[in-house]
Amino acid sequence: MSSPASTPTLVPGYRHTPGHHCGSTALRNLLAFHGVELSEEMAFGLGAGAGFYYIAIEGTSPSRWFNGRTARLEENFRELTGAALEMETFEDRDAGWAAARAAVDSGSPALLLTDLYYLDHYGRSAHFPGHAVVLAGYDDELAYLSDTAFEELQTTRLESLVEARHSEHPAYPLQGHMFTVAESVDPEQLRAAAPRAVERAAREMIDPAWGEYAGLPAVGRLAAEAGSWPQDLEDWRWCARFAYQVIERRGTGGGNFRLMYSRFLAEAGFDEQVPLAAAAADAWTELAAAFFAASEEENPGTPLWEAITAAADRCLEAEERLWTALA
């Protein structure tokens, strides 16, 4: 006979509001708990959220991995806004969980970075490190998580959460990253950081710190290489399907995050560049459709992959126009 579940310890007054993207939803909900109301798009933009990286990870599948946002959204938000966000990392797994549990015990939620592959409410289809959730409670066996588009809090076993917070996936190794709000936050101070955030995003796209693996150079590499994936990669179908997902479905809000970014630009007063961001979103959506069509075929058809090359070229052109205008 199984033992009865313990009564959960929940953060009093925490409210989960669903959103499009994990990091910006978690930031918005964390700040809302502390009385600061921001749109999800503003939270995304203030973290210099729009970006791009494209890497090959041999020995894993998908072996080609790209994403249309910065790898360090939450850290960027903390740095650019000067908001009272505190970040802690923990090499020791027990210490990492003790700190997160202590935050809840003190009546405050904690933003945690995870690899969603290990979270029980997702199927273990692919690693996706850097997925942000808010810890809103726990009991003897489960953690209660505020997670992006879900309507209600989700539960995952405590041991699964520990595994997720310390994933060693090469795309983004994690060390129990945790963000909390320790002081009062001035909403006007946050919004005043918008020009700095746009400048950071544009600089990282035009002259990325990761060189050819990020920014416009990485978009150019994708455009040059994607059409030959069937000749170069054994897992070309999964790479194509995953590419479709990371452009349209995996928390991007559509168009490789560019739709969300266009709404941020409108809210932040960058009216002239809004149509350029929307056009970039359309180009990425077109590329996603081409990837999806190719992933549905058991044998690679040349016209399908030629369409991918053409659509990726249009993405590069749209990205160059957008970031040049914002620089």
Side-chain angles (χ1 to χ4, degrees):
M1 183 174 180
S2 61
S3 59
S6 61
T7 301
T9 299
L10 297 172
V11 174
Y14 179 81
R15 180 168 57 92
H16 168 67
T17 302
H20 297 292
H21 170 59
C22 64
S24 46
T25 297
L27 282 169
R28 181 199 60 194
N29 289 345
L30 182 68
L31 289 166
F33 175 81
H34 291 276
V36 178
E37 297 294 334
L38 283 182
S39 69
E40 181 188 353
E41 289 80 4
M42 182 59 69
F44 180 76
L46 290 178
F52 192 79
Y53 60 90
Y54 168 49
I55 54 178
I57 310 178
E58 305 301 343
T60 67
S61 190
S63 59
R64 296 298 181 269
W65 180 290
F66 67 84
N67 202 288
R69 57 150 272 187
T70 179
R72 305 286 180 179
L73 174 71
E74 298 80 11
E75 293 178 44
N76 282 351
F77 185 96
R78 174 176 176 265
E79 177 187 344
L80 289 163
T81 65
L85 285 183
E86 291 190 353
M87 183 185 78
E88 297 177 82
T89 59
F90 304 89
E91 291 188 12
D92 183 85
R93 296 182 174 208
D94 291 339
W97 170 240
R101 185 182 62 212
V104 172
D105 290 343
S106 71
S108 294
L111 190 159
L112 309 177
L113 298 187
T114 69
D115 182 345
L116 63 73
Y117 177 86
Y118 297 104
L119 299 179
D120 296 331
H121 54 286
Y122 290 100
R124 296 196 173 197
S125 63
H127 287 275
F128 205 76
H131 180 71
V133 297
V134 176
L135 179 67
Y138 69 91
D139 62 26
D140 290 344
E141 298 179 355
L142 302 172
Y144 293 75
L145 303 178
S146 172
D147 190 349
T148 324
F150 292 98
E151 293 294 328
E152 307 290 341
L153 295 181
Q154 300 297 298
T155 57
T156 195
R157 290 169 297 167
L158 296 182
E159 57 267 30
S160 298
L161 179 61
V162 169
E163 201 70 27
R165 295 181 65 201
H166 293 270
S167 168
E168 297 180 356
H169 192 275
Y172 190 176
L174 299 171
Q175 290 186 316
H177 292 70
M178 181 175 85
F179 295 83
T180 54
V181 176
E183 303 173 8
S184 61
V185 181
D186 179 359
E188 294 308 313
Q189 178 185 348
L190 296 182
R191 294 185 178 89
R196 291 195 299 276
V198 170
E199 180 184 7
R200 168 75 63 85
R203 184 173 71 248
E204 283 300 312
M205 285 297 295
I206 293 172
D207 186 21
W210 288 5
E212 66 175 11
Y213 299 103
L216 294 176
V219 181
R221 282 180 49 245
L222 177 67
E225 296 177 8
S228 62
W229 281 357
Q231 290 77 48
D232 298 337
L233 311 176
E234 292 184 1
D235 64 340
W236 60 269
R237 287 187 71 192
W238 178 217
C239 286
R241 180 58 65 96
F242 191 73
Y244 155 71
Q245 292 175 358
V246 296
I247 294 172
E248 285 297 300
R249 296 186 61 83
R250 289 180 177 255
T252 73
N256 203 24
F257 294 98
R258 274 32 180 188
L259 275 180
M260 283 184 61
Y261 201 65
S262 71
R263 294 193 291 269
F264 159 70
L265 291 175
E267 190 174 347
F270 289 81
D271 297 338
E272 292 183 4
Q273 290 80 21
V274 171
L276 296 178
D282 290 342
W284 284 109
T285 294
E286 180 187 359
L287 176 59
F291 273 126
F292 182 86
S295 74
E296 290 285 278
E297 300 294 326
E298 293 188 8
N299 298 305
T302 300
L304 291 173
W305 289 87
E306 288 177 347
I308 286 172
T309 297
D313 284 338
R314 287 189 284 274
C315 287
L316 177 59
E317 294 167 1
E319 291 284 302
E320 288 174 338
R321 288 193 293 269
L322 169 61
W323 298 109
T324 299
L326 287 171

